[in-house]
Amino acid sequence: MKILFLGGSGVISRAATQQTLAAGHELWLLNRGQRRPIAGARSLVADLTDLASVRTALRGHTWDVVVQWIAFTPDDIRRDVELFRHSTRQYLFISSASVYQKPLAHYLITETTPRVNPHWEYSRQKIACEEALAAAHQTSAFPGVIVRPSLTYGEDQI
């Protein structure tokens, strides 16, 4: 599979990058090129805030999967929908389990647990990102999937 990670060299994405390479996939990383390179991954250097450079870096590529590690606002998601609408079969948005209701009404967290966290702006922005991705799926069948990690760590934190 040909996979693109937006980011890919951070705390949680670095481990996923290494596992993806170990599984034998063709992995590309789109990032600013400011962290140490990862052996075996192919690089596209661009700043996601500079759409012209991103479009140039992505030109001619199609992806089986795009994984978005570094979207923090709904505008990031809307930008990605436009960038990848016709060039990916699957788009994974890495959200956060912090989106779930605080305080919890029940100790079990399921997909039906409400998404509301009045205590943390980060969580509210991730909820808004999820809503933007759901809207893109409903209006244009954009192939988005939401992943909500609950605990993240990596070797860079040791």
Side-chain angles (χ1 to χ4, degrees):
M1 286 179 50
K2 185 177 178 185
I3 301 170
L4 174 67
F5 281 6
L6 304 176
S9 59
V11 172
I12 62 173
S13 58
R14 184 173 286 271
T17 294
Q18 293 164 341
Q19 289 296 310
T20 301
L21 290 168
H25 298 293
E26 179 183 336
L27 180 63
W28 293 73
L29 307 178
L30 176 90
N31 58 42
R32 294 172 296 171
Q34 296 179 343
R35 296 202 181 182
R36 61 187 158 108
I38 298 174
R42 301 173 187 190
S43 291
L44 298 171
V45 177
D47 186 329
L48 281 168
T49 64
D50 179 357
L51 281 179
S53 72
V54 172
R55 284 189 176 101
T56 297
L58 294 173
R59 188 174 295 126
H61 288 281
T62 58
W63 313 99
D64 293 306
V65 179
V66 172
V67 181
Q68 173 51 281
W69 297 96
I70 53 174
F72 300 105
T73 69
D75 285 342
D76 295 337
I77 297 298
R78 287 187 282 271
R79 173 206 59 222
D80 288 357
V81 168
E82 290 307 313
L83 285 171
F84 299 107
R85 179 179 310 278
H86 303 292
S87 62
T88 190
R89 294 176 47 211
Q90 193 73 69
Y91 174 92
L92 275 69
F93 167 58
I94 307 302
S95 184
S96 170
S98 72
V99 303
Y100 290 119
Q101 182 180 41
K102 303 292 185 290
L104 285 171
H106 190 271
Y107 73 96
L108 286 178
I109 297 174
T110 69
E111 289 294 315
T112 61
T113 300
R115 294 174 301 142
V116 58
N117 186 333
H119 307 291
W120 197 10
E121 178 65 17
Y122 170 85
S123 303
R124 291 190 297 276
Q125 288 296 315
K126 287 290 193 175
I127 292 167
C129 287
E130 290 185 12
E131 291 168 349
L133 186 56
H137 177 73
Q138 289 189 355
T139 60
S140 66
F142 187 74
V145 173
I146 297 166
V147 177
R148 298 181 185 130
S150 61
L151 176 63
T152 60
Y153 65 93
E155 291 180 7
D156 290 353
Q157 293 175 305
I158 298 173

